[in-house]
């Protein structure tokens, strides 16, 4: 098993528990959809798996080892709100150079225009920024991608383009994916398996 | 004779003056020749490509564009020109916007208190009722934005319009981050609002949800409107839609084939003659490089900007 979530419990304080004992695992090459109602804690869970947030209890195991803070994290999160995920003081070029993904193949496949590279994040639309967030996650050391509602702010054609590209990349590199979405039609198209967290919380 | 539209936009263009290199300035046109009408009692859904200027349109109506933007063309409210001074008095009262980004919430203020426009009892009551309607519990009033999920923040933003009694609501992507049930509930609320004789403009990418409640759909691409049509045509199917881009949009929905289209929207840097969708269109021809006429539908429900007409 590649990523294992073991009994993850999270809350902002001991008496305000958001979710309890969430366990599942995702293998290489799998695309697992996560669904639950708004406010359940899907994004928080995504952050925990990517190592940005610490759970109250439970652990995340990647390839048999717990996540360490050292070095490049093979689990990359693509965030729901790109305007909050990109340093507002950096030009887009620098954002891509940081992850060493400034190559023509990725840029062209995602429809990133050369002139956008010279701009600051506030000068791009939400959909345009999200393409950068996707590109940034595709560093060659990435083994897992967590996609948290990454295409809710783009039009259906761009949504379809981004997903076709991401799925192709994942298959090519045998990456695993965890996909958070509210759109069941989309989930059925792109996921190999769907987990409903609300059912899991009831058990 | 149809009544006067609440909001009528004719030939709107928005140009930004930006610095290219050093002190050299350049104008880029982000919106050109845009036409739109929003009537009382109707929901107009604005759909289309990301970066096609949908949010800019909303900001232009509200008069909150940055200083380096120049607006030409006309925006009318209830039949008369919406001047800078007029919108200044109207916004937040008669014309309300629900902003797109959840980062519009003040991170240092409790959500409940920033939703209220005045700190008095009636505003408090309105806020509490609105929160209740959107399943935000009393506890949620006292939380800060960082403790909110994306969907909760979205609902808090929506609840701000209930503070006043606006006659026009512009909602900039009100449904992302909401689960299906909540998204439908929100749209239902906009429907009730329109049925009370108000005009609602909803900017959205959730076409499948929006068309079930909207009356008309306006399709944007590259800063202009390519087609305005009845919402029911999106439910009836592809052959009821006229413009090739509208059809492509329909076919790209996950439930309708999830089909991508080669290529990307042209940037405002490219100066264009003829059809803006030219290089991605399946049925393009030489004539498309010339001026594209607007064909109004015979029943007055909308128009299409394509040489093939309707």
């Amino acid at each position: 098993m590649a990523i294992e979530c073991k009994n993850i419990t999270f809350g902002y304080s001991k008496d305000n528990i958001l979710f309890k004992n969430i366990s599942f695992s995702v293998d290489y090459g799998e695309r697992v959809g996560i669904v639950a109602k708004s406010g359940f804690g899907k994004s928080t869970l995504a952050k925990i798996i990517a190592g940005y947030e610490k759970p109250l209890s439970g652990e995340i195991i990647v390839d048999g080892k717990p996540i360490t803070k050292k070095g490049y994290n093979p689990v990359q999160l693509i965030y729901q709100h790109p305007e909050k995920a990109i340093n507002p003081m950096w030009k887009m070029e620098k954002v891509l150079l940081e992850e060493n993904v400034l190559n023509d193949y990725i840029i062209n496949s995602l429809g990133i225009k050369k002139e956008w590279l010279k701009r600051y994040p506030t000068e791009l639309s939400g959909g345009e920024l999200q393409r950068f967030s996707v590109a940034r996650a595709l560093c060659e050391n990435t083994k897992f991608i967590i996609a948290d509602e990454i295409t809710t702010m783009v039009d259906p054609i761009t949504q379809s383009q981004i997903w076709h590209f991401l799925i192709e990349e994942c298959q090519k590199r045998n990456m695993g994916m965890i996909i958070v979405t509210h759109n069941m039609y989309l989930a059925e198209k792109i996921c190999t398996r769907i987990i409903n967290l609300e059912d899991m919380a009831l058990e | 004779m149809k009544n006067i539209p609440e909001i009528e936009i004719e030939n709107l263009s928005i140009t930004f003056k930006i610095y290219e290199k050093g002190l050299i300035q350049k104008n880029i046109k982000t919106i050109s020749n845009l036409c739109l009408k929003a009537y009382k009692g109707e929901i107009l859904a604005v759909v289309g490509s990301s970066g096609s200027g949908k949010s800019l349109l909303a900001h232009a109506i509200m008069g909150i564009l940055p200083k380096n933007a120049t607006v030409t063309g006309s925006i009318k409210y209830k039949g008369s020109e919406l001047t800078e001074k007029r919108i200044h008095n109207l916004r937040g009262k008669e014309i309300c916007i629900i902003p797109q980004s959840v980062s519009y919430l003040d991170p240092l203020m409790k959500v409940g208190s920033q939703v209220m426009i005045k700190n008095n009892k009636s505003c408090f009551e309105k806020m509490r009722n609105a929160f209740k309607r959107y399943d935000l519990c009393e506890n949620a009033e006292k939380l800060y934005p960082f403790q909110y999920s994306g969907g909760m923040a979205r609902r808090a933003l929506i609840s701000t319009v209930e503070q006043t009694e606006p006659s026009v609501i512009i909602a900039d992507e009100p449904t992302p981050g909401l689960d299906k049930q909540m998204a439908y509930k929100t749209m239902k609320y906009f429907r009730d609002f329109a049925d009370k004789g108000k005009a609602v403009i909803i900017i959205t990418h959730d076409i499948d949800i929006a068309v079930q409640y909207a009356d008309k759909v306006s399709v944007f691409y590259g800063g202009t409107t390519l087609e305005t049509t009845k919402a029911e045509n999106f439910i009836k199917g592809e052959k009821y839609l006229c413009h090739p881009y509208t059809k492509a949009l329909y076919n790209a929905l996950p439930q309708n084939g999830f089909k991508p289209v080669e290529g990307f929207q042209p940037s405002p840097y490219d100066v264009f003659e003829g059809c803006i969708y030219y290089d991605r269109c399946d049925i393009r021809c030489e004539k498309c490089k010339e001026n594209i006429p607007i064909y109004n539908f015979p029943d007055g429900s909308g128009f299409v900007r394509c040489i093939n007409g309707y």
Side-chain angles (χ1 to χ4, degrees):
Chain A
M1 280 301 156
I3 281 194
E4 270 181 278
C5 302
K6 283 187 178 168
N7 298 318
I8 305 290
T9 300
F10 184 86
Y12 284 101
S13 64
K14 280 258 150 56
D15 10 276
N16 184 6
I17 298 291
L18 197 54
F19 49 77
K20 248 185 191 168
N21 295 332
I22 299 285
S23 305
F24 63 92
S25 58
V26 178
D27 212 339
Y28 285 104
E30 263 195 309
R31 297 188 297 274
V32 177
I34 302 252
V35 296
K37 69 175 194 299
S38 165
F40 179 89
K42 299 185 296 298
S43 297
T44 309
L45 181 65
K47 281 189 213 162
I48 292 173
I49 300 171
Y52 290 109
E53 195 92 61
K54 269 211 149 57
L56 284 182
S57 65
E59 56 181 347
I60 307 290
I61 310 278
V62 180
D63 284 339
K65 282 171 274 179
I67 294 187
T68 55
K69 287 245 179 233
K70 270 188 206 152
Y72 187 81
N73 189 344
V75 185
Q76 285 291 308
L77 173 67
I78 306 175
Y79 202 50
Q80 186 177 5
H81 306 290
E83 69 272 23
K84 291 203 233 164
I86 289 172
N87 187 341
M89 304 297 279
W90 281 10
K91 285 196 175 173
M92 300 317 296
E93 200 170 33
K94 197 169 169 188
V95 173
L96 293 188
L97 279 171
E98 187 197 25
E99 292 290 330
N100 198 18
V101 286
L102 194 60
N103 72 52
D104 283 347
Y105 171 68
I106 290 180
I107 289 180
N108 292 337
S109 312
L110 282 168
I112 293 173
K113 299 210 171 84
K114 288 270 150 65
E115 71 243 23
W116 296 352
L117 296 173
K118 300 278 174 218
R119 294 201 208 163
Y120 287 101
T122 52
E123 297 166 337
L124 293 169
S125 78
E128 287 162 358
L129 280 179
Q130 194 60 294
R131 298 172 210 216
F132 282 92
S133 302
V134 173
R136 184 168 66 167
L138 289 172
C139 177
E140 56 182 73
N141 299 328
T142 306
K143 289 179 185 158
F144 285 95
I145 284 186
I146 305 173
D148 184 5
E149 300 238 34
I150 61 167
T151 52
T152 48
M153 73 298 290
V154 303
D155 62 88
I157 294 177
T158 311
Q159 166 168 284
S160 170
Q161 281 175 326
I162 289 179
W163 278 113
H164 277 94
F165 171 69
L166 256 181
I167 290 172
E168 197 192 303
E169 275 302 294
C170 284
Q171 283 171 344
K172 218 164 30 178
R173 305 193 202 172
N174 198 25
M175 291 191 287
M177 272 181 109
I178 297 174
I179 297 158
V180 177
T181 180
H182 283 300
N183 188 338
M184 282 311 284
Y185 297 113
L186 180 67
E188 280 161 18
K189 280 276 176 202
I190 58 182
C191 300
T192 52
R193 176 156 68 99
I194 294 173
I195 298 174
N196 190 332
L197 290 183
E198 285 171 74
D199 297 346
M200 191 179 285
L202 289 176
E203 276 162 20
Chain B
M1 192 56 201
K2 192 124 199 196
N3 53 349
I4 305 166
E6 290 284 282
I7 296 275
E8 183 174 13
I9 293 171
E10 269 174 359
N11 286 324
L12 181 81
S13 296
I14 301 177
T15 315
F16 280 92
K17 190 178 261 182
I18 58 161
Y19 283 99
E20 191 157 62
K21 200 177 181 190
L23 291 173
I24 302 166
Q25 288 185 334
K26 192 177 176 181
N27 288 321
I28 56 168
K29 208 174 197 178
T30 47
I31 284 188
S32 53
N33 302 325
L34 187 137
C35 305
L36 184 146
K37 283 178 189 150
Y39 289 97
K40 264 186 190 171
E42 282 190 357
I43 296 182
L44 174 76
V46 174
V47 304
S49 178
S50 330
S52 64
K54 299 188 299 295
S55 297
L56 278 181
L57 165 80
H59 288 205
I61 299 174
M62 299 303 285
I64 51 173
L65 286 172
K67 284 203 176 97
N68 61 340
T70 324
V71 180
T72 57
S74 93
I75 302 176
K76 285 180 181 163
Y77 171 62
K78 294 195 177 184
S80 54
E81 203 67 32
L82 196 58
T83 57
E84 209 173 311
K85 202 173 162 194
R86 197 156 165 239
I87 184 66
H88 195 89
N89 294 325
L90 291 176
R91 66 175 168 230
K93 300 182 188 95
E94 286 188 30
I95 306 178
C96 278
I97 189 168
I98 299 168
Q100 172 184 23
S101 172
V102 291
S103 56
Y104 279 72
L105 289 171
D106 184 341
L108 299 177
M109 230 174 142
K110 286 176 183 162
V111 178
S113 31
Q114 63 179 303
V115 165
M116 293 190 285
I117 50 170
K118 280 196 191 111
N119 195 2
N120 63 29
K121 207 160 177 216
S122 92
C123 288
F124 180 77
E125 292 285 314
K126 283 177 192 161
M127 180 272 290
R128 183 155 277 185
N129 285 335
F131 270 39
K132 208 182 255 169
R133 190 188 333 262
Y134 293 109
D135 293 349
L136 293 165
C137 54
E138 280 182 30
N139 192 15
E141 292 166 17
K142 298 188 197 77
L143 295 178
Y144 287 93
F146 81 91
Q147 292 163 312
Y148 267 46
S149 78
M152 285 164 83
R154 190 73 59 188
R155 286 179 265 159
L157 287 172
I158 296 168
S159 70
T160 57
V161 292
E162 294 191 29
Q163 288 286 310
T164 53
E165 291 244 325
S167 51
V168 177
I169 292 185
I170 303 165
D172 195 354
E173 298 205 24
T175 46
L178 300 184
D179 50 76
K180 196 132 237 184
Q181 212 181 349
M182 192 52 74
Y184 277 112
K185 204 169 165 182
T186 308
M187 288 304 296
K188 175 89 185 16
Y189 171 67
F190 288 130
R191 185 71 254 172
D192 291 344
F193 199 82
D195 290 343
K196 277 187 226 153
K198 319 273 169 90
V200 183
I201 300 174
I202 298 175
I203 297 168
T204 184
H205 289 305
D206 294 325
I207 299 178
D208 50 334
I209 299 172
V211 294
Q212 298 190 32
Y213 291 93
D215 298 283
K216 281 180 193 153
V217 179
S218 219
V219 182
F220 277 40
Y221 185 77
T224 194
T225 28
L226 293 181
E227 182 172 355
T228 297
T229 184
K230 281 187 195 156
E232 61 186 72
N233 291 340
F234 269 88
I235 299 170
K236 283 201 234 155
E238 188 197 346
K239 64 177 184 204
Y240 291 90
L241 305 167
C242 294
H243 201 283
Y245 177 68
T246 318
K247 289 180 195 234
L249 210 53
Y250 178 87
N251 288 327
L253 288 174
Q255 57 270 51
N256 298 345
F258 204 42
K259 204 174 133 211
V261 182
E262 286 270 313
F264 301 99
Q265 180 178 243
S267 86
Y269 285 93
D270 310 329
V271 181
F272 252 86
E273 293 259 345
C275 184
I276 186 106
Y277 192 58
Y278 180 78
D279 54 355
R280 295 172 84 181
C281 186
D282 291 333
I283 52 169
R284 61 175 174 243
C285 63
E286 274 308 301
K287 267 171 127 184
C288 299
K289 287 181 179 167
E290 291 156 26
N291 229 343
I292 306 295
I294 290 180
Y295 292 99
N296 286 307
F297 298 147
D299 61 351
S301 63
F303 66 87
V304 61
R305 202 188 289 256
C306 177
I307 57 153
N308 296 307
Y310 46 83

